[in-house]
Amino acid sequence: MAWRAAAYFRDHDGHVREVIAFAKTKSAAEHRLLTKLRDRATITPAGELSPTDKINDLIDLWIEKFEERVADGRRSPTSLTTYRTAIKNHVRPALGELRIGEATTPRIDRVIGTIKRNAGRSTAKTCRAVVSGMILSVLRPAVWMVAGAMVGPLVSRARSSRIASAPRITGEV
């Protein structure tokens, strides 16, 4: 007699499917089922990374894809240099050891805010572009990518308006 273990699993396409495993003993069938579920969960639509991989892996993959775009003439080598510097100095130290599934919008916003306070608005904008670009280009099909894509804009202090006085408009001095 064979034991049957079954569970419903929501696949990456959003459909719920029954996953079944058979074995000679109850515990062996359950173990096989858990293995099937784990393997199924790690296959992402992007086919390269899973939510349990580290952001360092995502960074490496993104740089590789960006280098291909530079080689094809679709992106500037200067952009690649700028992004590598931002990654080395800010993104990797702040997010690199985090698991991809832990990269939530509030967490990324907090990191970008810290970079803005410590390194300036321009550097924070570059880092935000890097993080958003990584998530959008490498993990575009993944459901959780919305978290990174929704990183908010950097708000700066309001500037005083520059309205020309009447003499400047009419040319009078």
Side-chain angles (χ1 to χ4, degrees):
M1 180 171 106
W3 284 85
R4 176 183 186 260
Y8 287 96
F9 181 82
R10 184 171 182 189
D11 277 323
H12 296 288
D13 61 2
H15 291 93
V16 178
R17 295 181 177 87
E18 187 175 23
V19 180
I20 303 169
F22 295 94
K24 289 184 180 182
T25 65
K26 180 181 177 182
S27 62
E30 289 172 349
H31 180 70
R32 274 196 187 158
L33 176 64
L34 290 174
T35 301
K36 279 185 166 185
L37 293 173
R38 186 192 68 230
D39 292 345
R40 198 170 191 135
T42 58
I43 299 171
T44 63
E48 296 164 333
L49 296 173
S50 73
T52 58
D53 289 319
K54 292 192 176 181
I55 290 191
N56 276 327
D57 300 326
L58 174 60
I59 290 170
D60 295 337
L61 184 61
W62 182 77
I63 287 175
E64 182 181 309
K65 289 183 184 270
F66 202 92
E67 287 170 343
E68 290 172 8
R69 290 185 194 108
V70 170
D72 292 344
R74 293 184 289 155
R75 294 306 304 255
S76 164
T78 307
S79 295
L80 179 60
T81 303
T82 301
Y83 292 160
R84 277 189 174 146
T85 302
I87 288 168
K88 177 183 165 216
N89 295 334
H90 304 286
V91 177
R92 221 180 263 276
L95 297 170
E97 290 301 311
L98 212 59
R99 300 220 180 267
I100 293 171
E102 298 170 335
T104 61
T105 302
R107 186 171 268 167
I108 293 171
D109 277 343
R110 196 173 319 118
V111 167
I112 298 297
T114 301
I115 292 169
K116 180 182 173 190
R117 280 189 302 280
N118 296 337
R121 187 172 190 273
S122 175
T123 301
K125 284 178 73 173
T126 301
C127 292
R128 185 188 66 201
V130 167
V131 172
S132 294
M134 286 187 312
I135 292 170
L136 290 172
S137 70
V138 177
L139 301 169
R140 184 173 310 155
V143 173
W144 64 267
M145 76 87 174
V146 175
M150 299 308 291
V151 173
L154 295 170
V155 179
S156 61
R157 288 178 270 119
R159 294 182 182 175
S160 59
S161 60
R162 293 182 181 174
I163 299 174
S165 60
R168 289 181 78 188
I169 293 174
T170 58
E172 300 172 13
V173 181

